[in-house]
Amino acid sequence: QVHLVESGGGLVQPGGSLRLSCAASRSIFTMGWYRQAPGKQRELVGTITSGGSTNYADSVKGRFTISRDNAKNSVYLQMNSLKPEDPAVYYCMAREELASYWGQGTQVTVSS
């Protein structure tokens, strides 16, 4: 079992930046972020392996950056140039061969 604790959500103006953090209770190979807007399915934002390989959704490429600190079992999501279509509950995800784990979610709101 892996316990994930997220932090860093909040309200930001369009074009602004926000950084999300997620700490895992132990090391795990793949970590990342998903998001879910009201009335929509949960969708991938991006993932990162312990080796640093990243994968991003087309909608966030060039604006969002995922990084991790393996020593802290933590993953981060730097969100820049936030758009009106980015608001959602952002969920931290950790995945290993036989299981996926989810954080409780943190709300990101983009509004002027």
Side-chain angles (χ1 to χ4, degrees), residues 11-61:
L11 172 66
V12 63
Q13 292 185 341
S17 299
L18 207 58
R19 187 175 188 247
L20 307 182
S21 301
C22 173
S25 55
R26 62 169 173 84
S27 64
I28 192 161
F29 184 69
T30 299
M31 298 185 74
W33 296 91
Y34 281 67
R35 66 185 182 185
Q36 187 168 18
K40 295 187 177 182
Q41 289 189 331
R42 191 172 298 188
E43 64 177 9
L44 170 73
V45 175
T47 60
I48 185 168
T49 68
S50 57
S53 296
T54 55
N55 175 50
Y56 294 97
D58 288 343
S59 58
V60 306
K61 282 181 181 177

Side-chain angles (χ1 to χ4, degrees), residues 6-22 33 35 45 56 60 63-67 75-83 86-90 105-111:
E6 301 140 337
S7 61
L11 172 66
V12 63
Q13 292 185 341
S17 299
L18 207 58
R19 187 175 188 247
L20 307 182
S21 301
C22 173
W33 296 91
R35 66 185 182 185
V45 175
Y56 294 97
V60 306
R63 300 188 299 122
F64 292 9
T65 302
I66 293 177
S67 60
V75 64
Y76 309 97
L77 179 65
Q78 178 66 44
M79 302 183 289
N80 298 328
S81 302
L82 281 158
K83 299 179 178 181
D86 292 322
V89 177
Y90 282 69
T106 185
Q107 179 71 49
V108 172
T109 302
V110 180
S111 175

